[in-house]
Amino acid sequence: MKLQKCTVDLWQDSKWKSNEHKCKQCRQWESEGEWFGRAFYCTRCCAKVAEQSHKDNYHEDAGQSSEPWLASYKEKWKHLVEMEWQEEMRVVDDRLRNWPVARLVGQGFCITDLEARKRGTFFGKAKIVFSKASLPRHHFSSGDEVIVSRGNPLDEKVAWKGEILELGMNRLAIVSDKPPWELTSGRWRLDRGANKTAYERTKSALGYVTGTKFRAPAMRKLVLNEEGTGLHKGVPAESDDDEDAWLSLDASQRAAARQAVEAPLSLIQGPPGTGKTTTTCHLIRRLVEKRGKDSRGCSILVAADSNVAVDQLLAGLIRLGVKALRIGFPSKVSQELRAHTLLAQAEEHPLNSKIEETREALSKVKDALYSGALKGKGKGLAHRDISLHVRDLQKYEQEVTDDLIANAEVICATLVGCGCDALLRSDFHTVVIDEASQATEPRCLIAFQKARAQLLMVGDQQQLPPVVLCQAAEEKGLRCSLFDRLLNSPTLFNQEISMLQVQYRMHPLIREWPSSQFYSDRLQDGLPISTFASCVMTQPFLSKSSPHHKAPIMFLDTSEGCKQTVMTFLQNFGGRTGMSNTESQNSDGSKYNLLEVELVKTVLRKLLEAGEEDVGVISPYAAQVAQIKSAMEAEKMLFQDPDARVDAARFPEVKTVDGYQGREKEVIILSCVRTQGLGFLSDRRRLNVGITRAKSLLVIIGCAELLQTDPVWRSYIHFLDRFRWTP
């Protein structure tokens, strides 16, 4: 009997050995009570042999297909996924191996000198709080995977892994399967690690969808090999004539949603501010009304690449009265939505009392066994009791999971979360992928493998593409999303898809140029101009002699020829003068510009004095973001820090452009940074995201002389000429 490698997250590198009954690793798990929630083990686990078929189906090498195109498809993407994983590991390893601790801490990838205390449990996992007098600036956020060690994790025999639950000014909490030994003694260190779970689940999905056991071969030909006709490009479905279902949507939203109801494959383009999430949620509700639960239980799976996007969809579905269940550990879910997670609802399930009783009984037996009090026959009976209790736990937990999933109307998960144990035995009539243009094609397969008959994808090819670390993999096509490939397929859509056309975010003048440049002048304004009448706009920056009226855009040109204008602006509004317009770079090669930092700080101060609270500051460069935050701290100006304060929403939010996709603010300040080369600025999609986040005021700070060397930027600078600040 052939053994297959386990891809369960915690033990994904375990080597499987076997005898006539159970493999060695499974016997160890059984004796230690670590079978909780496991749906399978190995082919020698006679207790679990009935579940093995599910594992076989999803194994990365199970059921090799004989079709040449499938073998070619698999080989291409498997190679690129491996390249990307190797690069991610190389980056983390390089940091840990070659960077001094001071640099790791300074760049925000490491926090040292932490005290630790165990603070109970969080949905069955140990909750550990790490603290010190004041945490340094860092890149950790809720849901991140971290490595816990005493010193450098590469030099230690044991390094624990955990997941960040919450952060504060001087503390952060993680959850872990087991707390480290001697937790309260000595000091601890946390490092950001690589995400192997995503890599393993992507490989597994790629193997399954290209194998002989894939349950939807027709869907596979349509999506993977572009074999299909009759997709009704942009034509509403005649069979869906219930107008009441779409009353709250505008005409373009209604047309896109109706077209997608019956089509086996649909793409919907959602430009900035056009209500993409609203449309998607109404579409899903309509699918629930038409289909409900099929004979296999829940029939709709909704996924997105980021937890934020999934939470937005979940919140929208709940508001519409849809019974949605969120898959994923609660630490990665917005606090107000945690009650809708699988684990939270499992605690309220009628069988939970039996689970708790069994856990308590198991704990007592283990305590007696490990105390050394049991000998001979008593020791053997204890091992038997542990095995029985663990099997009961397995049974109860699986029943709870199956019951909750079957009784939900919609399942929500991240793309990676679609490959978790809880969904191992589930497939769905319809799979909906939001943010589809931001995810790599292999990542989308983790959700697609669950589709039986219908795949709906929502995205915008004019906004940011997937993030790819490995340049070689990017050049070979990993950065091209599944959404983009299908959109440009001559046999499928050939760039003819439904587009949402009414935007409800931006002042018409902010909307004007991106609509012309990126959306063929098809974007319309859904809000009357009077909506913006009371907005602050450029009012704080107008002098008595200024001929201009309040406007929604202000351009501060830092070119050499505008040097005096910039100095006058700083003098008029309390900024420091005398700095040159020069870009610099930090040890990572990320760029920053101190003159632009001063301009950002000056603009911010005036806006806050004018009473504006909903302000965002964005830049293409992480180093510039860090410099702006440091300058704000020096001036005692507060800004949003994830999870640090409950009232943080009223402070300015400073992020990279990539961190702002899908977000909006009343006022956006965009710092372009560069003076010597375009770099990230040459990406037209990044420009589109940067200038479409603002509702009523967009402040752009940059060197027009450099920016105009790019044709797209040249067009935008010509548009901005009428909004230049003048004394």
Side-chain angles (χ1 to χ4, degrees), residues 188 233 238 280 415 436 484 580 697:
W188 293 92
K233 306 171 191 175
E238 296 295 334
T280 304
L415 292 175
D484 275 26
S580 61
L697 174 60

Side-chain angles (χ1 to χ4, degrees), residues 96 101 103-112 136-140 189-192:
L96 295 176
V101 174
R103 182 181 175 190
L104 287 169
V105 173
Q107 295 293 325
F109 295 108
C110 174
I111 304 176
T112 60
R137 184 154 313 287
H138 57 76
H139 293 306
F140 295 87
R189 163 178 165 172
L190 299 182
D191 290 271
R192 285 193 63 180

Side-chain angles (χ1 to χ4, degrees), residues 338-397:
R338 287 177 182 172
H340 300 277
T341 62
L342 174 65
L343 288 176
Q345 294 195 15
E347 291 190 343
E348 304 299 323
H349 195 277
L351 277 178
N352 189 57
S353 57
K354 287 188 177 182
I355 292 174
E356 292 301 322
E357 290 171 5
T358 307
R359 281 179 177 162
E360 185 176 350
L362 175 63
S363 178
K364 289 180 179 179
V365 175
K366 288 173 68 176
D367 288 345
L369 177 63
Y370 298 147
S371 68
L374 301 178
K375 306 291 181 182
K377 185 177 180 180
K379 190 174 181 180
L381 290 173
H383 280 292
R384 182 205 63 184
D385 290 344
I386 287 176
S387 177
L388 293 174
H389 288 322
V390 166
R391 292 184 192 184
D392 286 343
L393 274 176
Q394 171 96 35
K395 173 187 173 185
Y396 295 145
E397 291 184 345

Side-chain angles (χ1 to χ4, degrees), residues 308 600 604 608 612-619 625 628-629 632 637-643 645 648-657 659-670 693:
V308 171
V600 167
L604 259 179
L608 296 176
E612 183 58 68
E613 291 185 346
D614 191 25
V615 183
V617 181
I618 59 180
S619 173
V625 168
I628 291 169
K629 288 182 176 180
M632 291 174 67
M637 297 169 68
L638 298 175
F639 54 87
Q640 287 189 33
D641 222 351
D643 303 312
R645 318 173 181 84
R650 63 188 181 88
F651 301 133
E653 188 173 15
V654 189
K655 287 180 176 288
T656 62
V657 174
Y660 250 99
Q661 178 147 324
R663 310 287 304 284
E664 61 183 25
K665 290 286 183 180
E666 200 68 44
V667 178
I668 285 289
I669 305 170
L670 172 62
R693 304 303 98 194

Side-chain angles (χ1 to χ4, degrees), residues 154 446 511 525:
L154 296 178
I446 308 176
R511 180 269 311 154
D525 300 314

Side-chain angles (χ1 to χ4, degrees), residues 218 221-223 225-233 259 262-266 489-493:
K221 285 186 176 181
L222 178 63
V223 175
N225 206 37
E226 303 174 8
E227 296 181 31
T229 57
L231 293 179
H232 313 296
K233 306 171 191 175
Q259 176 272 325
E262 300 294 343
L265 175 63
S266 288
S489 167
T491 59
L492 295 181
F493 296 100

Side-chain angles (χ1 to χ4, degrees), residues 542-559:
L542 298 180
S543 61
K544 293 181 180 179
S545 61
S546 175
H548 301 294
H549 298 289
K550 189 169 65 170
I553 303 174
M554 183 172 74
F555 178 40
L556 287 169
D557 187 357
T558 62
S559 301

